[in-house]
């Protein structure tokens, strides 16, 4: 079932259900893509129709963040749970390791994907990392050629929004992969160069506060979270009509 949160049609799934859907995509014929918008991204999509369409064109739309889940509750159409992109990616790696599947890591600064790969292989022995490339390329054609040379089952696209969503939609016809996932800064997380919040903060839905303390330059961007929540409340009380 889909749940609309300010124009973005989220899949109302638990983490386990998200993984089941990913398995269905992996069993399919066509390359499809997964997106993981948080509240900041939804706020951006509220002001950019084309970007909103890129998100809604995904085969699976997962709520990466407590803000989106809170928004859905305020709108009285609650999503089951937050499905963080980085956690989804980790579960998917576990599945690939069990089934002999492969992943290609695309994105983040030079050297980060290599570090992330080391950590992934340590946690998921049996995983095949088919290749990797940093996210600071000029031409897309050679990148696509490199990916198609190894035909991975899964492609992690970690270029930040909206670059990663555009990349996945524009190239899905020519990319010889089964599933692509737009995962923002997840490779930095896997690599350990950007630490995730401690569990107690995640449990209290305070991951955003941790990121703000660690990366104060994100402040301007993070103002989109209260703006998003205000727009949700406004819609709920009827002002959005
Ligand atoms: N990035 C990239 N190519 C670019 C711009 C960004 O590979 O041209 C990477 C950047 O290094 C970082 C990720 O994309 O690893 C975006 O991280 P951010 O935390 O901004 O992601 P989001 O919050 O959008 O998930």
């Amino acid at each position: 079932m889909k749940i609309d949160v300010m124009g973005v049609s989220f899949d109302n799934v638990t983490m386990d259900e998200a993984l089941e859907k990913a398995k269905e995509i992996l069993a399919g014929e066509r390359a499809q893509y997964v997106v993981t918008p948080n509240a900041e991204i939804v706020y951006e999509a509220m002001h950019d129709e084309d970007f909103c369409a890129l998100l809604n064109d995904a085969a699976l739309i997962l709520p990466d963040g407590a803000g989106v889940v809170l928004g859905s509750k305020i709108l009285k159409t609650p999503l089951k749970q937050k499905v963080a992109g980085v956690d989804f990616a980790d579960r998917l790696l576990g599945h690939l390791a069990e089934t002999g599947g492969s992943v290609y890591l695309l994105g983040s600064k030079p050297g980060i994907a290599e570090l992330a790969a080391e950590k992934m292989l340590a946690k998921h022995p049996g995983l095949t990392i088919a290749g990797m490339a940093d996210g600071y390329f000029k031409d897309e054609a050679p990148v696509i050629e490199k990916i198609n040379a190894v035909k991975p089952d899964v492609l992690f696209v970690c270029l930040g929004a909206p670059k990663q969503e555009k990349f996945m939609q524009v190239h899905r016809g020519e990319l010889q992969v089964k599933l692509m996932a737009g995962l923002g800064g997840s490779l930095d997380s896997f690599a350990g160069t950007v630490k995730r919040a401690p569990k107690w903060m995640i449990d209290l839905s305070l991951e955003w506060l941790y990121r703000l303390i660690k990366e104060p330059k994100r402040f301007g961007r993070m103002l989109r979270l209260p703006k998003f929540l205000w727009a949700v409340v406004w819609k709920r009380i009827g002002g959005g009509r």
Side-chain angles (χ1 to χ4, degrees), residues 31-37 41 51 54-55 58 64 85-86 88-89 92-93 96 102-109 112-113 116 120 131-137 140 143-144 147-148 152-172 175-188 190:
Q32 304 216 56
Y33 65 93
V34 180
V35 293
T36 58
I41 305 283
F51 179 46
L54 276 178
L55 292 176
D64 172 288
V86 64
F88 169 74
L92 198 51
L93 292 178
L96 292 175
S102 62
V103 64
Y104 193 105
L105 311 176
L106 173 64
S108 62
K109 297 199 178 108
I112 301 291
M120 288 170 179
M132 56 197 105
D134 71 72
Y136 294 86
F137 46 85
E140 298 185 339
V143 176
I144 291 162
I147 297 166
N148 283 347
D153 295 299
V154 172
L155 173 64
F156 284 178
V157 188
C158 305
L159 306 172
K163 198 172 170 184
Q164 60 197 19
E165 287 77 14
K166 279 187 193 149
F167 182 92
M168 293 190 290
Q169 198 209 36
V170 169
H171 298 298
R172 73 177 151 187
L175 276 165
Q176 296 180 37
V177 305
K178 292 175 186 154
L179 182 153
M180 294 175 267
L183 295 166
S186 294
L187 288 181
D188 304 292
F190 279 111

Side-chain angles (χ1 to χ4, degrees), residues 47-125:
H47 299 91
D48 181 342
E49 260 179 53
D50 293 341
F51 179 46
C52 192
L54 276 178
L55 292 176
N56 284 331
D57 207 16
L60 186 57
I61 308 183
L62 303 174
D64 172 288
V68 175
V69 176
L70 178 59
S72 73
K73 285 184 183 155
I74 295 171
L75 291 167
K76 300 280 180 217
T77 48
L79 283 158
K80 287 180 190 168
Q81 60 168 238
K82 165 176 123 174
V83 183
V86 64
D87 295 332
F88 169 74
D90 192 52
R91 291 287 302 270
L92 198 51
L93 292 178
H95 171 69
L96 292 175
E98 277 166 23
T99 53
S102 62
V103 64
Y104 193 105
L105 311 176
L106 173 64
S108 62
K109 297 199 178 108
I112 301 291
E114 284 78 358
L115 263 178
E118 264 176 42
K119 302 277 168 65
M120 288 170 179
L121 288 171
K123 184 162 178 198
H124 303 287

Side-chain angles (χ1 to χ4, degrees), residues 11-31:
D11 285 271
N12 188 21
V13 288
T14 61
M15 178 62 84
D16 287 342
E17 290 164 347
L19 194 68
E20 286 310 310
K21 292 228 172 203
K23 289 181 194 169
E24 282 168 29
I25 295 173
L26 281 169
E29 291 293 309
R30 238 163 30 94

